[in-house]
Amino acid sequence: MATTNVHGTRSRIGALLALILATMVPAPSHAQSGTRAETGTVQGSVSDATATAGVAGAQVFVAGTTIGTLTDGEGRYSLRGVPAGEQVVTVRLIGYREASQRVTVTAGETVTLDFTVEQTTLRLQETIVTGVAEAAAEPPFSVLRGPSSISTSVRGARLAHPLFNTESYARIEENGFRRVGESPLSTFSIDVDRASYANVRRFIQSGERPPVDAVRIEEMINYFPYEWDGAAGDDPFQVLTEVWDAPWKPEHRLVRIGLKAPSVDTEDLPPSNLVFLLDVSGSMSSPDKLPLLKKAFALLTEQLRPQDRVAIVVYAGAAGLVLPSTAGNRRGRILAAVERLEAGGSTAGGAGIALAYDVARKHFIEDGNNRVILATDGDFNVGASSDEAMVRLIERERESGIFLTVLGFGTGNLKDSKMEGIANRGNGNFHYVDGLLEARKVLVEEMGGTLFTVAKDVKLQVEFNPARAAAYRLIGYENRLLADEDFNDDTKDAGELGAGHTVTALYEVVPAGLPVPRGVDPLRYQPAAEPTPPVEAAPGAFEDELLYVKVRYKDPDGSESRLLAHAVADRSRSPSRSFRFAAAVAGFGMLLRDSPHAGGLSPDDVISLAEGGRGDDPRGYRGEFIRLVETVRDLDLLGTAAEEDDRR
């Protein structure tokens, strides 16, 4: 990491801290082009030097390649497909000193390589820092990333807003409590997007509190896979419910409603007709955009089969077809077309989308997976560029039976609001790719869920029993709320569920007889509301029911919805590990949003909850989450949202 001098001035309360961090994505080693017989496996563990315990969520990667992984809950890792010969393996995790070791890999064999890493301390002091950094080489899924930047700090360390930051997020008004007597029904569309969690992670790993509106709690919860014990039925997904005491307010109930679609092996997926729609405008030139995009789509290309087809449309000042629809087993031709791309020019996103859908229609596969995959920073500035115009364009195209996946890249000018709106209206899903590890998760590990829809227009409606519930609030899903009458209206668009997807919704419920938190001042001309008394129910008439859950969905090619429904008893029980962990993520999201509903919840409370729900954690995702919460705590990033807004 290199710095040169740029003058700064002291902030009004003492410190101007500038930490210059840049990421370069190295080109894959030529050794990777060999066959499986020329590769071996490196496995081992990463341990804390002082605690002698395994370190979870650490990045372990082979230098100069795209081979990497995260340590699991016990600190173990395994790197497969490592080119034979001498390699350098590196371990990196925020809060620890980076460690590297050389290892000799023998083809067809496994070598053990263990690491012991030392914790590091970030010392904060009053500093006048000057400088713009030269780009530093980082692994393809680097923790620390972003262009040169400076930032003032009010509390603790804040690394960095990119210079000339023009990122945009749609405003979110957090759901408040609704009285059951006035609004007994709660209706919303599912949300399988995961972009918010990856984006929040990007901010935190850069030492910065994310903008409030970048935090969409439902997307953070749904980022994680959850255990599921239910038996498969005739429907494309199962519904699970649990009731527990709310960790941040134990006198309230916390209700989990979960949907789970079974996973489908890649070889069993229907044939795919894919159109890669790639943004190659000038705004995509930085290393965390087009160079990372190329590596991400190379990963996806390796998963294609002979029955799959791929076309590539690009757009900058204009849109063009750079690869006609090509069989999936012609990987060399597909990869060559991707590798030739260069960034430059303005951004005619609307023209690119129209051309991509046109190509997809011409090669439509009946009973297949027909999908446009848009990869962009969302910075459309030529043609149909407003949020409304782009959304109308997508709405017209979705009726063709072609689905949409949106992949966001980069920092500094990320147009989250546009990309989310496009995905929501295009029968699609939205992911943010902050590194190659996330690309592998989205396009390889969760390929079925990302690219193959098992149910569309999935809507939930929950009816609360006034004999048991005085009020409720839905945690998250603010931009997915529907009118109650929309539930039975099959013309209303809703979210899509992919193979292997899990969707979780949490409700905080005020039991009947308890006071309802108010979101407005007391009324002048009416007496203050008293605690809602329980409604007398006839014996045996739903007296033990807390709520009634209904779910509507359509088959991917269907036009009429089907209905699932079941009652939920008012019995708080010991939560599953998945419920504990989902509650921890929800609590963390509320802290990041400076929510008044978080009560006295602290980062330590979130960590304790998450540790209790960590489970086996084979991919290390839950361990990584715990490290993020620890980072927020240790860097003291939880100033008030108002303080943060003053600095933005």
Side-chain angles (χ1 to χ4, degrees):
M1 179 169 60
T3 59
T4 56
N5 285 336
V6 179
H7 295 295
T9 57
R10 302 185 182 214
S11 69
R12 56 187 174 86
I13 66 167
L16 173 61
L17 178 65
L19 183 59
I20 317 292
L21 299 167
T23 298
M24 292 287 290
V25 182
S29 167
H30 293 300
Q32 292 180 85
S33 60
T35 63
R36 289 184 180 271
E38 297 170 336
T39 66
T41 298
V42 180
Q43 66 180 22
S45 62
V46 179
S47 302
D48 187 300
T50 57
T52 64
V55 177
Q59 299 181 45
V60 186
F61 58 92
V62 181
T65 77
T66 60
I67 300 169
T69 188
L70 290 177
T71 55
D72 65 14
E74 302 299 323
R76 295 186 295 266
Y77 74 91
S78 179
L79 299 170
R80 297 179 175 84
V82 180
E86 187 174 89
Q87 303 289 349
V88 176
V89 179
T90 298
V91 172
R92 178 172 297 174
L93 180 63
I94 190 169
Y96 286 88
R97 195 179 308 281
E98 182 179 301
S100 297
Q101 295 188 57
R102 292 187 178 276
V103 63
T104 300
V105 179
T106 302
E109 297 186 6
T110 298
V111 60
T112 298
L113 187 65
D114 295 329
F115 288 82
T116 300
V117 291
E118 299 177 351
Q119 296 187 23
T120 59
T121 301
L122 176 61
R123 298 188 180 276
L124 305 178
Q125 56 188 345
E126 183 174 280
T127 309
I128 302 297
V129 184
T130 56
V132 178
E134 295 294 332
E138 298 287 350
F141 43 85
S142 172
V143 169
L144 300 175
R145 50 182 66 81
S148 303
S149 50
I150 60 175
S151 170
T152 57
S153 173
V154 171
R155 299 182 55 179
R158 303 290 194 292
L159 316 179
H161 295 286
L163 296 176
F164 311 112
N165 190 321
T166 61
E167 295 190 7
S168 65
Y169 301 90
R171 185 171 181 83
I172 295 175
E173 295 292 342
E174 187 177 16
N175 292 328
F177 282 98
R178 305 183 70 181
R179 291 180 177 273
V180 174
E182 300 167 357
S183 303
L185 296 176
S186 173
T187 309
F188 64 99
S189 162
I190 68 163
D191 186 355
V192 296
D193 297 344
R194 283 92 182 272
S196 180
Y197 178 80
N199 194 27
V200 164
R201 177 179 62 200
R202 183 252 302 188
F203 277 100
I204 295 172
Q205 290 179 335
S206 294
E208 187 178 8
R209 180 174 178 167
V212 166
D213 292 320
V215 181
R216 295 187 288 272
I217 295 178
E218 74 280 3
E219 293 186 22
M220 295 180 64
I221 295 172
N222 289 330
Y223 180 86
F224 299 92
Y226 295 99
E227 298 90 357
W228 208 271
D229 297 327
D234 295 332
D235 296 291
F237 56 87
Q238 306 161 47
V239 181
L240 172 147
T241 57
E242 291 184 85
V243 180
W244 187 30
D245 298 332
W248 46 86
K249 200 169 183 65
E251 61 268 32
H252 290 180
R253 296 280 194 262
L254 188 65
V255 179
R256 174 194 177 203
I257 302 172
L259 276 59
K260 166 68 174 180
S263 299
V264 179
D265 292 337
T266 301
E267 56 268 24
D268 296 330
L269 291 172
S272 291
N273 164 37
L274 304 178
V275 179
F276 296 171
L277 175 56
L278 309 182
D279 182 351
V280 295
S281 63
S283 67
M284 292 289 289
S285 60
S286 62
D288 58 353
K289 294 185 180 180
L290 186 58
L292 176 58
L293 181 157
K294 290 181 179 181
K295 294 178 183 294
F297 278 83
L299 290 175
L300 176 56
T301 300
E302 291 299 324
Q303 310 305 309
L304 298 176
R305 307 159 301 175
Q307 61 267 41
D308 300 324
R309 302 194 66 83
V310 171
I312 301 179
V313 172
V314 299
Y315 62 93
L321 180 67
V322 300
L323 180 73
S325 188
T326 301
N329 59 347
R330 301 190 65 181
R331 295 189 180 93
R333 184 180 182 190
I334 298 169
L335 292 173
V338 172
E339 192 57 37
R340 286 194 298 268
L341 301 178
E342 295 182 359
S346 54
T347 316
I353 290 173
L355 177 58
Y357 274 96
D358 182 62
V359 173
R361 283 193 300 271
K362 289 178 180 177
H363 299 277
F364 192 89
I365 299 175
E366 291 293 339
D367 300 321
N369 172 34
N370 298 278
R371 184 174 297 266
V372 172
I373 305 176
L374 168 62
T376 179
D377 59 10
D379 195 8
F380 309 122
N381 53 35
V382 174
S385 62
S386 71
D387 292 7
E388 294 79 8
M390 296 295 291
V391 165
R392 286 195 296 271
L393 175 62
I394 292 295
E395 285 179 331
R396 290 196 301 269
E397 296 290 355
R398 75 180 180 212
E399 302 305 324
S400 63
I402 298 168
F403 293 87
L404 177 68
T405 291
V406 179
L407 304 179
F409 288 82
T411 63
N413 64 332
L414 184 72
K415 299 299 183 285
D416 178 272
S417 59
K418 288 188 179 182
M419 290 186 285
E420 187 198 17
I422 288 171
N424 289 352
R425 301 299 182 91
N427 283 354
N429 46 63
F430 173 36
H431 303 265
Y432 175 71
V433 180
D434 58 344
L436 201 59
L437 195 63
E438 183 67 13
R440 185 180 298 277
K441 179 179 186 290
V442 172
L443 297 175
V444 178
E445 296 172 10
E446 299 176 355
M447 179 181 177
T450 303
L451 302 183
F452 179 55
T453 299
V454 298
K456 70 177 182 180
D457 293 340
V458 184
K459 298 177 276 191
L460 281 82
Q461 186 168 81
V462 179
E463 180 182 355
F464 291 87
N465 182 1
R468 291 285 183 168
Y472 63 88
R473 72 179 187 94
L474 175 61
I475 300 176
Y477 293 92
E478 285 85 359
N479 59 4
R480 296 299 184 117
L481 300 179
L482 298 172
D484 293 339
E485 56 269 23
D486 290 344
F487 182 72
N488 291 324
D489 186 349
D490 283 350
T491 66
K492 296 295 183 180
D493 184 56
E496 278 61 51
L497 188 67
H501 270 163
T502 56
V503 174
T504 296
L506 299 179
Y507 280 95
E508 182 177 352
V509 181
V510 180
L514 294 184
V516 177
R518 295 188 62 89
V520 297
D521 293 333
L523 298 177
R524 179 180 179 87
Y525 301 109
Q526 298 183 35
E530 298 295 329
T532 303
V535 175
E536 294 295 331
F542 322 125
E543 58 183 346
D544 293 330
E545 294 181 8
L546 177 63
L547 53 87
Y548 191 60
V549 179
K550 296 183 291 185
V551 183
R552 282 196 178 275
Y553 72 93
K554 299 174 188 171
D555 291 331
D557 58 353
S559 58
E560 294 185 2
S561 66
R562 302 181 186 181
L563 176 66
L564 301 175
H566 76 273
V568 178
D570 186 14
R571 287 192 290 271
S572 178
R573 296 181 175 177
S574 178
S576 65
R577 289 182 301 192
S578 289
F579 195 1
R580 285 185 185 274
F581 190 81
V585 179
F588 186 48
M590 287 191 287
L591 291 179
L592 292 176
R593 291 191 54 82
D594 199 27
S595 170
H597 303 296
L601 195 71
S602 70
D604 285 329
D605 296 329
V606 172
I607 292 167
S608 178
L609 269 174
E611 290 282 11
R614 186 169 181 166
D616 295 334
D617 195 23
R619 297 287 185 180
Y621 297 137
R622 297 188 183 189
E624 180 195 52
F625 170 80
I626 293 169
R627 290 293 303 169
L628 286 182
V629 183
E630 291 173 339
T631 299
V632 167
R633 178 197 63 191
D634 296 345
L635 296 183
D636 194 19
L637 298 185
L638 288 178
T640 66
E643 288 173 342
E644 293 295 326
D645 289 342
D646 287 343
R647 284 191 294 275
R648 294 189 187 281

